[in-house]
Amino acid sequence: MAQRYVRVKTEKGQTYYGLLQLSRGVQVLDAPPWLQGQPTDLSLEPDTYQLLAPCAPSKVVAVGKNYANHAAEMGTPVPTEPLLFLKPPTAVIGTNTPILYPPQSQRVDYEGELALVIGQRCVDCTPKDAQGKIWGYTIANDVTARDLQKLDSQWARAKGFDTFCPLGPWIVRELSAAARLQTFLNDAAEPVQSASIDQMVFSPEFLVSYISQVMTLLPGDVILTGTPEGVGPMQVGTRVRVAIEGIGQLENTVTQRKSAN
Ligand code: MG
């Protein structure tokens, strides 16, 4: 089994990066692994910690319509260049943490996606150099208020609500180029999304290079590589599970977000 890199919160409220053991215990590291974190003497027993999102990005850069069949289902052409948008770091949550359904929306969709975790500062890098800047891979759900996305010409609101970026459950360093991505709702055996990640229009290396020519990517930053066809709505109470072969599965349940007044 590939090594699994986690970020956890203990019962006492301490946050650590670590290595998940087969026993489900965690070997604590003294820094994020992409900043050369080394194992410490501390290990955590199973069931004494909560899994957090596996990194704490300065920014989440997302790519729209990066699978041709998803662009088609949205009734739009495949972009000739990557279509970039940002999700705020405050949207990030870990696995088994509720997605909050905002009162401003009547249509909130799941979007299962492969997420890249950047390991080194990256500015103006070539696609060839970009592979070395990708430290590892995890799973994301690019939760989207679809009705607000259609109302707004920019997507900061539709994509930026708190809890709209589930990430995890952990990071692995290697991934098969043809790994399958699938999204499941509740107890259904049939996935609502199922695609091989090699169906992406723009490859991970191309995306990292392209983004690095716009903004500096920092260690721990996250890139969401786009969703395949099959996006659809979630309701309050929906349990959504995004699985990627060779990584694991990211699971979250939708609950109502209380309005401010
Ligand atoms: Mg998306």
Side-chain angles (χ1 to χ4, degrees):
M1 187 188 74
Q3 188 68 63
R4 296 166 166 180
Y5 293 85
V6 295
R7 195 167 140 263
V8 299
K9 187 176 190 176
T10 67
E11 290 163 332
K12 290 178 183 163
Q14 290 149 317
T15 298
Y16 297 115
Y17 289 87
L19 295 168
L20 185 63
Q21 309 294 316
L22 280 176
S23 64
R24 294 271 157 179
V26 171
Q27 169 78 61
V28 170
L29 302 177
D30 60 9
W34 42 91
L35 299 180
Q36 287 73 52
Q38 296 300 312
T40 67
D41 293 337
L42 181 61
S43 59
L44 306 175
E45 296 295 318
D47 304 320
T48 65
Y49 61 85
Q50 176 197 352
L51 282 177
L52 302 174
C55 55
S58 80
K59 56 191 165 298
V60 177
V61 188
V63 180
K65 299 170 190 160
N66 197 29
Y67 288 80
N69 52 18
H70 171 61
E73 77 178 342
M74 302 303 283
T76 52
V78 174
T80 53
E81 290 188 85
L83 171 62
L84 304 183
F85 60 94
L86 289 165
K87 288 173 86 79
T90 42
V92 173
I93 57 172
T95 194
N96 293 319
T97 303
I99 295 166
L100 301 180
Y101 200 118
Q104 297 95 321
S105 176
Q106 275 74 54
R107 168 78 190 235
V108 174
D109 283 10
Y110 57 82
E111 291 189 2
E113 305 198 8
L114 172 67
L116 315 175
V117 180
I118 297 297
Q120 289 175 24
R121 183 183 168 90
C122 179
V123 189
D124 290 334
C125 70
T126 62
K128 188 162 169 285
D129 292 339
Q131 182 57 49
K133 308 291 186 182
I134 301 171
W135 193 85
Y137 305 90
T138 188
I139 306 168
N141 187 344
D142 175 20
V143 179
T144 303
R146 195 71 69 201
D147 50 352
L148 304 183
Q149 185 187 29
K150 286 176 178 156
L151 282 176
D152 298 349
S153 61
Q154 301 205 20
W155 302 346
R157 179 168 68 142
K159 299 277 194 178
F161 283 99
D162 289 353
T163 76
F164 270 27
C165 191
L167 198 64
W170 42 67
I171 299 166
V172 300
R173 303 231 39 203
E174 304 287 336
L175 190 65
S176 158
R180 184 148 292 271
L181 182 162
Q182 294 188 302
T183 304
F184 299 87
L185 298 180
N186 300 316
D187 295 319
E190 285 299 310
V192 287
Q193 296 187 287
S194 183
S196 166
I197 59 169
D198 61 6
Q199 292 168 8
M200 280 180 206
V201 177
F202 300 106
S203 68
E205 303 75 45
F206 186 91
L207 293 174
V208 170
S209 169
Y210 184 89
I211 295 165
S212 80
Q213 293 167 56
V214 179
M215 61 189 90
T216 301
L217 291 167
L218 297 176
D221 279 354
V222 168
I223 296 170
L224 307 191
T225 56
T227 200
E229 73 175 325
V231 299
M234 303 182 290
Q235 318 301 334
V236 170
T238 298
R239 186 160 46 81
V240 57
R241 180 161 59 87
V242 184
I244 297 181
E245 218 175 350
I247 306 180
Q249 52 187 27
L250 169 70
E251 183 170 316
N252 300 86
T253 299
V254 180
T255 64
Q256 183 68 53
R257 177 171 170 158
K258 304 282 184 286
S259 64
N261 38 31

